[in-house]
């Protein structure tokens, strides 16, 4: 087909005239060069793929620009097509659109690319070192064009950041269906993914970056707060109504999600020292008020911590340096550490997510570009030393937990088989537990409590105040467990803790009935004109959203933790029930090929139709995970599923397991009998 025929056959396309090349603001973090090991044929293919968005009249010019980007950055971002200036989630009425959903998705996309929210905004990376909204700025512009014309009887299909097109559907169907990086099994590894990403055919959506539902670091503060309190209750003897006053928490990372650590520790009452090699991230968190103190002095960091612990005053201290140096110093000074973790981007350890001991951040970036093989060797060496120091602290009574960033898997990949429970491989997990395995799994996910969240699309703080109050009122009236009490305290103090970064959003760990009823209340408030439209969502890191054996499903012990059925069914079920947006991704916080995660976005426009969708979809989204955990014989999940069967008798029904744990002798006898025959 002639190229001019293609142009005439499309009405939705990039503008014919090329935009002026934008200027880049000083002081904005930029992504390091991405490695991909492309052959010459691959490089040609990558440029051809990018040129598919461009009118042929401009191919000669843009081929040169794309070739230069590929050489300098390892990826084609199409910088020319980035809009000039700052992007941010504006009030919904400022967007063009034929339906509320189309405008709402634009709010969320631009919130994800806000300079105050995104990790590398010029490279469309929201968080997690590589989690992108889409692959390039041509895709961004084209998605915007589609969302501006989307109607409530159409569905936009997005494959790894590429807007495949609009297709007619119906009012009860999703308005957008997204998939990211779903590799064929034989090719589902980091090397093949990096090649596909460089070719422009795979997008690393992380969990909520490519699903357009990231709400800034607040999105993980509540989970970190719950994890720290849970660790205190489980390991330190903290009462259910107590906090971590006078206790010391040590970790690393102040980037996207990891930026939540200091804030969560303060809310939980603890003193924390968080190591971070990138000074710009520390400045961001300090300016936002998410850390209280910052220093590059180990001596000063410890002095501040000790004074605050003695006074039992919460404090978050950012140490500008490598975490291994911090651990060595604390050990040398015989400092007792109560809780310890790590939240560097270890799922991308060899791509810049982990900075080796001995390198500054600038040296890390340069070595990634000039000598990635030597960089990988230094990463392995540093991970081994990091692990050695953790073991030393553990022997002195520190509780270390893996915070789901693939840290222990990275230690294993660096050659340390001792990190494995069986001493040989990672099939049985690691010697230190995942935070989900010990804490979030049994005490939250098994009950259905997970990271429900909402965004007030008006960007009006009053709307957020009203939704906070409505959710708190519901919890007070349905206070059944200590988890509900924690959630009430969380909401009560939310405004005081100043957690909003970007547009007006809130996270709340809530269970199935809580999510449904709070959502219905919000939709009623929209209907009554009390607040503007609201978009619901959640972190994919949830009860039923993600299959990940070293994280979300680490407390599932029936062998199904390596299966991806739950996340896929969750995604499909949400689509079937009419959620506004549904997303399914490869990877998430633990890296490519190590998890499958699914999520949703639901726009509340005040309509009765939305009420009907909420009643169907919200319980499903949670209970698919509780049911899976119940079938794995998780005690709290079994009781929660039984309660659900009674509540929805005659309508829904979950299969419950008969227990065999008390029949060990019977099973042993049966096995011996079979062996003897």
């Amino acid at each position: 087909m002639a190229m001019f025929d293609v142009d005439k056959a499309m009405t939705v396309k990039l503008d014919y005239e090329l935009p002026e090349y934008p200027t880049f603001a000083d002081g904005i973090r930029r992504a390091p060069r991405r490695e991909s090991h492309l052959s010459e044929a691959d490089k040609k293919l990558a440029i051809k793929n990018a040129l598919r968005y461009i009118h042929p009249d401009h191919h000669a010019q843009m081929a040169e620009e794309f070739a230069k980007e590929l050489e300098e950055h390892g990826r084609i971002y199409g910088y020319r097509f980035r809009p000039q200036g700052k992007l941010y989630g504006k009030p919904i009425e400022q967007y063009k659109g034929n339906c509320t959903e189309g405008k709402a998705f634009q709010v969320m996309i631009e919130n994800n690319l806000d300079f105050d929210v995104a990790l590398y905004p010029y490279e469309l990376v929201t968080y997690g070192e590589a989690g992108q909204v889409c692959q390039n700025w041509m895709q961004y512009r084209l998605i915007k064009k589609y969302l501006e014309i989307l109607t409530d009887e159409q569905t936009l299909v997005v494959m790894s950041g590429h807007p495949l097109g609009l297709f007619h559907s119906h009012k009860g169907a999703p308005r957008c269906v997204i998939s990211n990086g779903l590799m064929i099994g034989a090719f589902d590894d980091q090397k093949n993914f990096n090649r596909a990403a460089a070719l422009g055919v795979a997008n690393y959506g992380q969990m909520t970056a490519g699903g357009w539902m990231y709400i800034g670091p607040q999105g993980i503060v509540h989970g970190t707060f719950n994890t720290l309190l849970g660790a205190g209750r489980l390991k330190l003897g903290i009462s259910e109504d107590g906090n971590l006053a006078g206790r010391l928490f040590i970790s690393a990372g102040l980037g996207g999600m990891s930026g939540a650590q200091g804030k969560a520790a303060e809310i939980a009452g603890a003193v924390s020292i968080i190591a971070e090699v990138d000074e710009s991230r520390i400045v961001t968190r300090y300016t936002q008020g998410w850390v209280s103190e910052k220093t590059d002095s180990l001596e000063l960091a410890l002095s501040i911590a000790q004074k605050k612990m003695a006074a039992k005053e919460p404090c978050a201290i950012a140490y500008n340096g490598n975490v291994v140096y911090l651990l060595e110093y604390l050990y040398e000074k015989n400092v007792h550490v109560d809780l310890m973790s790590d939240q560097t981007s270890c799922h991308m350890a060899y791509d810049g997510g982990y900075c080796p001991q001995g390198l500054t951040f600038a040296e890390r970036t340069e070595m990634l570009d000039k000598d990635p093989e030597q960089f990988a060797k230094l990463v392995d060496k540093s991970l081994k030393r990091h692990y050695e120091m953790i073991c030393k602290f553990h022997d002195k009574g520190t509780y270390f937990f893996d915070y789901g960033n693939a840290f222990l898997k990275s230690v294993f990949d660096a050659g340390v088989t001792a990190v494995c429970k069986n001493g040989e491989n990672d099939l049985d997990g690691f010697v230190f537990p995942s935070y989900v395995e010990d804490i979030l799994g049994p005490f939250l996910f098994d009950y259905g409590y997970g990271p429900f969240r909402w965004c007030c699309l008006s960007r009006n703080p009053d709307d957020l105040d009203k939704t906070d109050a409505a959710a708190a009122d519901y919890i007070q009236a349905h206070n059944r467990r200590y988890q509900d009490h924690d959630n009430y305290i969380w909401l009560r103090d939310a405004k005081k803790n100043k957690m909003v970064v970007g547009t007006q959003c809130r996270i709340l760990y809530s269970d199935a009935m809580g999510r449904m009823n709070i959502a219905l209340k919000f939709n009623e408030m929209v209907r009554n004109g009390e607040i503007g439209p609201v978009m619901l969502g959640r972190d994919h890191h949830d009860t039923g959203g993600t299959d990940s054996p070293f994280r979300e499903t680490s407390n599932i012990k029936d062998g199904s933790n390596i299966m991806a059925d739950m996340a896929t069914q969750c995604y499909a079920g949400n689509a079937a029930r009419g959620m506004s947006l549904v997303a399914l991704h490869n990877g998430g916080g633990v890296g490519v090929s190590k998890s499958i995660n699914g999520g949703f976005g639901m726009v509340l426009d005040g309509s009765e139709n939305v009420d009907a969708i909420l009643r169907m979809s919200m319980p499903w989204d949670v209970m698919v995970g509780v049911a899976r955990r119940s079938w794995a014989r998780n005690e709290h999940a079994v009781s929660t599923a039984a309660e659900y069967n009674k509540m929805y008798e005659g309508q829904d029904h979950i299969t419950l397991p008969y227990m065999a744990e008390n029949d060990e002798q019977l099973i042993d006898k049966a096995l011996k009998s079979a062996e003897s025959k």
Side-chain angles (χ1 to χ4, degrees), residues 361-371:
F361 184 69
E363 290 168 343
R364 157 265 198 192
T365 304
E366 183 177 4
M367 185 174 282
L368 264 175
D369 183 22
K370 305 296 184 185
D371 194 354

Side-chain angles (χ1 to χ4, degrees), residues 331-371:
Y331 191 81
E332 176 190 333
K333 297 297 182 181
N334 199 30
V335 175
H336 175 67
V337 176
D338 296 285
L339 302 174
M340 184 182 294
S341 190
D342 179 85
Q343 210 178 353
T344 54
S345 295
C346 270
H347 64 287
M348 301 283 291
Y350 303 116
D351 297 281
Y354 183 88
C355 184
Q357 183 182 23
L359 292 184
T360 65
F361 184 69
E363 290 168 343
R364 157 265 198 192
T365 304
E366 183 177 4
M367 185 174 282
L368 264 175
D369 183 22
K370 305 296 184 185
D371 194 354

